[in-house]
Amino acid sequence: MLDFSSVRSKTRTMNELAEPLSTTELAKLSNEMTDTVLGLIAECDDQAVVFQPVDPDANDTFASNPDEVGIAWTLGHVIVHITASAEESAFLAAEMARGVEFHGRSRYETPWESVTTIAQCRQRLEESRRICLASLQIWPDTPNLEITREFGSSHINAKAQFIMGLAHADSHLAQIGEIVQQAREAR
């Protein structure tokens, strides 16, 4: 899997990390991330999906309901969140690779409350894998890497935009592991 530590420590930019990657390698990395998450939840049951973990750092500033800002996310919530982020990054990257200027977010997130079974989590991960891999098929043979968009204090191109979804999922792996562990202990 891609190591994002140099980007997180600000010793390397996302563009620098993404620069040598081909669409074939982006697909491989996307598969690896999905397989990693599926591995983390491999032994989970439906109870683990809706288990309410303890997370003293819970702070969802983007919650649509103010009452949900401080709640710890369930496994189902994290799964729909990381898949929505991966798909958003993949779609934006495909547009940028085709020379389309960034024109805003492209995001849909399955309502987390509707994901209550491990089968739904696995289905959502596999569906997201299919969507992200398909998005790479619409990249031109020579992607436009001159089109960039502002992200934080830098600008990212299509390749960096695609791996932003992977970086986001990577940032939630420890959280997924913690939820799975707490759910196992609660059984």
Side-chain angles (χ1 to χ4, degrees):
M1 287 206 333
L2 209 49
D3 180 1
F4 294 99
S5 61
S6 62
V7 173
R8 291 188 178 116
S9 68
K10 298 187 186 327
T11 60
R12 199 169 184 195
T13 67
M14 194 65 81
N15 281 345
E16 290 169 337
L17 183 62
E19 192 276 325
L21 302 172
S22 67
T23 53
T24 300
E25 291 164 317
L26 293 173
K28 178 180 176 270
L29 292 165
S30 192
N31 277 320
E32 286 177 351
M33 183 57 71
T34 301
D35 291 341
T36 297
V37 177
L38 286 167
L40 288 171
I41 67 170
E43 296 181 18
C44 290
D45 58 13
D46 294 348
Q47 183 182 0
V49 175
V50 295
F51 173 77
Q52 188 65 56
V54 174
D55 183 357
D57 298 324
N59 183 25
D60 181 5
T61 57
F62 297 105
S64 57
N65 179 342
D67 295 335
E68 296 176 1
V69 171
I71 66 165
W73 286 8
T74 64
L75 183 58
H77 194 156
V78 177
I79 298 298
V80 300
H81 177 73
I82 65 171
T83 55
S85 295
E87 292 162 22
E88 176 180 24
S89 282
F91 274 87
L92 292 174
E95 287 193 337
M96 293 167 70
R98 293 174 39 248
V100 177
E101 294 280 346
F102 178 72
H103 52 84
R105 298 189 73 179
S106 179
R107 183 180 185 90
Y108 171 75
E109 187 167 318
T110 301
W112 65 269
E113 302 89 346
S114 70
V115 178
T116 59
T117 69
I118 194 64
Q120 287 176 297
C121 289
R122 290 184 181 121
Q123 182 276 332
R124 179 81 276 275
L125 286 160
E126 291 296 353
E127 179 179 56
S128 185
R129 178 200 311 257
R130 179 179 50 79
I131 289 169
C132 291
L133 294 177
S135 77
L136 291 168
Q137 294 301 308
I138 62 173
W139 283 41
D141 293 339
T142 304
N144 183 324
L145 300 177
E146 300 303 314
I147 299 287
T148 62
R149 78 174 192 95
E150 192 174 318
F151 187 82
S153 61
S154 66
H155 284 79
I156 57 173
N157 64 21
K159 289 181 184 181
Q161 178 64 63
F162 188 90
I163 68 170
M164 286 294 298
L166 299 175
H168 185 80
D170 182 76
S171 74
H172 284 281
L173 293 177
Q175 180 184 21
I176 293 169
E178 179 62 25
I179 294 168
V180 170
Q181 179 65 32
Q182 284 187 33
R184 184 180 303 126
E185 290 171 1
R187 252 191 276 158

